Amino acid sequence: MTDVPVAPDPFTRSVQGTARQYWWLPVLRGVLTIAFGLVAVIWPDVTALAILWVIAIFAIVDGLLEIFDAIRYRASGGTALGITFGVLSVAFGVVALVWPGPTVTVFAVIVGIWAILVGLVGLAASIDLRKAVGSGWGWGALTGALTVVLGILLLIWPKGSIAALVWLVGIWAFVAGILLVVIGFQVRRLAKADLTV
């Protein structure tokens, strides 16, 4: 007896359709994050103000990309979480640009709180995608968890030297960027997959 192919459920079909068009967004975010991480690690002696501006601009661009991504993926669920993540990132970036004068300690605390909030939102959004076979949700969850760990480290150790702070953020950005690139190519594989059983 021959098995009759079974079509994938509507949720998985919706995720696959969206993935076909927008798999490159996590790759772009990953490349930008890796570039930021490399700059931070190569030039750790940059002043706190310059680093604050770089992080603020990065947060604004990344937040806008996340909002765009969440709106485009609205049929797949997790839209509210994605938009929340994006708004938090943009708000953090704007606040950092408007009030650039805080000390390194205050800066570390602000970045730590931002990283924890963004990591938790990213973790929740990734877990929400676990229903879609081949969505790569585990990589997204790992990225979110690493971001939460970064935030906790910054809150525990806010008085570290600026060089140590920059290295910590740079290493996180490099690892998170690689994970985002992996997520993008995982989504691309989902887009090309034959989901009939």
Side-chain angles (χ1 to χ4, degrees):
M1 181 173 164
T2 307
D3 290 334
V4 178
V6 178
D9 65 274
F11 175 76
T12 303
R13 195 179 313 116
S14 171
V15 170
Q16 186 180 42
T18 306
R20 263 190 212 102
Q21 294 178 329
Y22 302 107
W23 65 269
W24 55 271
L25 278 174
V27 174
L28 175 62
R29 288 180 62 208
V31 169
L32 289 173
T33 306
I34 290 169
F36 168 73
L38 287 174
V39 168
V41 169
I42 291 170
W43 291 293
D45 295 331
V46 182
T47 65
L49 182 60
I51 290 297
L52 181 62
W53 275 71
V54 169
I55 290 175
I57 292 167
F58 169 78
I60 291 170
V61 171
D62 190 56
L64 291 174
L65 284 173
E66 181 62 30
I67 291 168
F68 176 75
D69 195 23
I71 291 170
R72 287 298 194 180
Y73 278 89
R74 64 184 174 273
S76 330
T79 304
L81 287 172
I83 290 174
T84 301
F85 170 81
V87 169
L88 285 172
S89 289
V90 171
F92 165 77
V94 170
V95 167
L97 288 176
V98 172
W99 292 292
T103 65
V104 173
T105 301
V106 173
F107 171 55
V109 170
I110 291 170
V111 174
I113 292 168
W114 169 75
I116 290 171
L117 292 174
V118 164
L120 289 174
V121 171
L123 189 59
S126 296
I127 290 171
D128 192 43
L129 278 176
R130 71 187 182 285
K131 296 181 286 186
V133 178
S135 67
W137 71 272
W139 292 110
L142 179 58
T143 304
L146 282 174
T147 305
V148 171
V149 169
L150 169 71
I152 291 169
L153 287 174
L154 289 173
L155 290 180
I156 290 172
W157 187 43
K159 293 185 179 182
S161 72
I162 185 62
L165 176 63
V166 172
W167 266 76
L168 185 59
V169 172
I171 291 168
W172 163 82
F174 187 75
V175 172
I178 290 171
L179 289 174
L180 283 168
V181 171
V182 169
I183 291 166
F185 284 106
Q186 180 73 31
V187 170
R188 184 172 183 248
R189 189 170 14 167
L190 170 65
K192 293 182 171 186
D194 179 8
L195 299 179
T196 56
V197 179

